[in-house]
Amino acid sequence: MKHLSLIVFMLCTGFVRAQLLSPEMLDTCRVFHNLEEALKSPAQVYRLDLSKQKLKDFPGGILSLTNLNELKLSRNKIDSIPPSISSLAYLQRLDLQRNALDTIAPEILKLKNLQQLNLAENFITTIPDDIENLAELRQLILWSNPIEYYPNSLGMLEKLEILDLLHNLMNIRTQDRLRNILPKCTILMSPPCNCGMQDE
């Protein structure tokens, strides 16, 4: 236990330039809440939380944080994600809840180490067919979105444990299909509607 604590201390204070952290190590690292402060020692920043800062655009300075494992930008007004987000190769957790996004940007699908993706309370209408590229994904949070298309490729996410689709209009046929293609995943859904919105 003492050995693990020493490793965590070294990681989070910059003595070791490790990249992809275990969940236990990541949870112990400092969370930065100010981008300017984070940019003073970019290699030592593993967690950044810029929630509730009235951001209208994705802050470009984030891309300098090459060791970033966790990024929270929830409750802002961001309406697009830059292609360069794919340069954050070690990102495991991405929280974009309650913004102004209407698509799941293709660049997000290039984040090969992503395990948690939160896009709840946006304006997303379609889950892209190549969602399966997020092979490490464990949690996909999409509640309160006007989603009309759920691809069968969701079933290719073999490590997915939680799929949160609460408060999304969905007919019984679509709900049954999702349960069939993700039998080992916990899927959270509201009662089905008598609608035919889903493109199957």
Side-chain angles (χ1 to χ4, degrees):
M1 189 65 180
K2 290 183 179 179
H3 180 65
L4 177 60
S5 298
L6 178 61
I7 292 175
V8 171
F9 172 79
M10 294 174 69
L11 285 169
C12 297
T13 54
F15 291 107
V16 177
R17 295 291 186 250
Q19 307 282 337
L20 192 66
L21 305 186
S22 69
E24 295 78 15
M25 289 184 177
L26 183 56
D27 287 339
T28 309
C29 285
R30 173 186 176 186
V31 180
F32 285 79
H33 295 274
N34 183 288
L35 183 55
E36 290 184 6
E37 184 179 359
L39 290 174
K40 293 177 181 177
S41 53
Q44 298 176 27
V45 180
Y46 295 90
R47 305 174 74 190
L48 179 67
D49 186 348
L50 300 181
S51 301
K52 300 180 182 179
Q53 297 198 14
K54 300 180 180 180
L55 300 172
K56 294 183 179 180
D57 299 301
F58 185 96
I62 291 174
L63 303 173
S64 299
L65 308 176
T66 54
N67 283 334
L68 201 61
N69 278 229
E70 177 181 282
L71 175 60
K72 293 185 177 182
L73 292 168
S74 64
R75 298 174 183 264
N76 284 296
K77 300 179 180 179
I78 298 169
D79 62 4
S80 63
I81 303 299
S84 43
I85 194 176
S86 60
S87 66
L88 299 176
Y90 303 102
L91 204 60
Q92 299 184 58
R93 304 170 183 171
L94 178 58
D95 185 348
L96 290 162
Q97 180 178 339
R98 195 180 290 186
N99 275 281
L101 301 169
D102 59 8
T103 61
I104 300 178
E107 294 75 27
I108 290 178
L109 304 181
K110 297 178 182 179
L111 297 169
K112 300 299 184 182
N113 289 303
L114 201 61
Q115 296 184 24
Q116 299 177 15
L117 176 59
N118 187 346
L119 291 165
E121 296 185 286
N122 277 282
F123 303 96
I124 294 166
T125 59
T126 299
I127 299 176
D129 287 310
D130 49 354
I131 190 72
E132 64 191 82
N133 290 343
L134 297 178
E136 296 299 316
L137 203 61
R138 268 74 167 174
Q139 296 182 19
L140 179 56
I141 313 301
L142 288 165
W143 58 271
S144 287
N145 275 285
I147 299 173
E148 299 179 1
Y149 177 66
Y150 297 88
N152 286 329
S153 53
L154 281 166
M156 302 297 290
L157 298 175
E158 296 181 357
K159 296 183 179 181
L160 194 64
E161 299 170 357
I162 297 176
L163 175 60
D164 191 341
L165 302 173
L166 285 169
H167 311 302
N168 297 350
L169 286 174
M170 221 182 305
N171 59 31
I172 187 65
R173 179 182 175 188
T174 298
Q175 292 190 350
D176 287 344
R177 178 168 61 88
L178 291 174
R179 292 189 185 100
N180 287 335
I181 64 176
L182 288 165
K184 298 180 181 180
C185 178
T186 298
I187 307 176
L188 306 176
M189 296 181 284
S190 297
C193 63
N194 293 319
C195 53
M197 296 175 61
Q198 281 68 40
D199 179 3
E200 301 177 22

